Amino acid sequence: MSRGLRNNNPGNIRRSKVRYRGEVHPSQDPEFRQFSAPEWGYRAIFVLLDTYRVRYGLRTVTQMISRWAPPTENRTQAYIDAVCRMTGLSPDEPLDTRDRATMVPLAAAISRVENGTAAVMRDVERGWALFSD
């Protein structure tokens, strides 16, 4: 099982000063967040992508993934290409981070790239419900 799935952190969100609902404290992982259940990890993906749009003006898959998985650590263009292929989104199409039909497949695609296995859609949907409440 991948590190992200073991941590219930399907987006492999790194530790920082920001706190997320459902996060486990203290985390047993020195670099990445841990969540109490997968849906809380998916909720964190939705929160972070929404923050990218609202706070930083990142509106496209290219902009968001370039921040999520920077070229200094990742094959960012391959990541963008994979996400767009899986979701049918255009890399430079503005996204509505409050739109379930856009964001659920996007989070599932991020999880697939990060963990090498298909997301459990029930967990992604539960994460969306926690985010949108």
Side-chain angles (χ1 to χ4, degrees):
M1 178 182 286
S2 71
R3 185 181 197 174
L5 296 180
R6 271 194 318 274
N7 287 338
N8 290 319
N9 180 358
N12 281 320
I13 299 170
R14 291 193 178 274
R15 292 173 66 172
S16 70
K17 293 179 183 179
V18 175
R19 295 289 172 241
Y20 291 92
R21 289 176 44 202
E23 196 172 348
V24 173
H25 296 286
S27 173
Q28 300 302 306
D29 190 305
E31 295 180 50
F32 294 93
R33 297 175 181 281
Q34 290 182 302
F35 293 94
S36 59
E39 56 263 32
W40 290 108
Y42 283 108
R43 179 192 177 274
I45 291 172
F46 297 126
V47 168
L48 190 50
L49 292 174
D50 191 56
T51 299
Y52 285 178
R53 182 184 61 82
V54 172
R55 186 171 296 160
Y56 303 108
L58 306 179
R59 301 194 176 282
T60 68
V61 171
T62 296
Q63 291 170 335
M64 289 179 179
I65 298 300
S66 293
R67 181 169 177 128
W68 190 280
T72 55
E73 302 173 10
N74 300 274
R75 293 179 48 231
T76 305
Q77 189 58 55
Y79 197 133
I80 293 165
D81 293 344
V83 165
C84 289
R85 189 174 50 257
M86 286 184 256
T87 61
L89 295 169
S90 167
D92 299 314
E93 165 187 353
L95 304 179
D96 178 356
T97 55
R98 308 272 169 99
D99 177 57
R100 181 198 159 285
T102 300
M103 298 308 292
V104 167
L106 180 58
I110 288 171
S111 178
R112 174 71 185 222
V113 173
E114 292 287 340
N115 299 291
T117 188
V120 176
M121 292 309 292
R122 180 180 66 247
D123 294 336
V124 184
E125 293 282 357
R126 287 179 181 158
W128 179 259
L130 291 168
F131 168 72
S132 61
D133 281 347

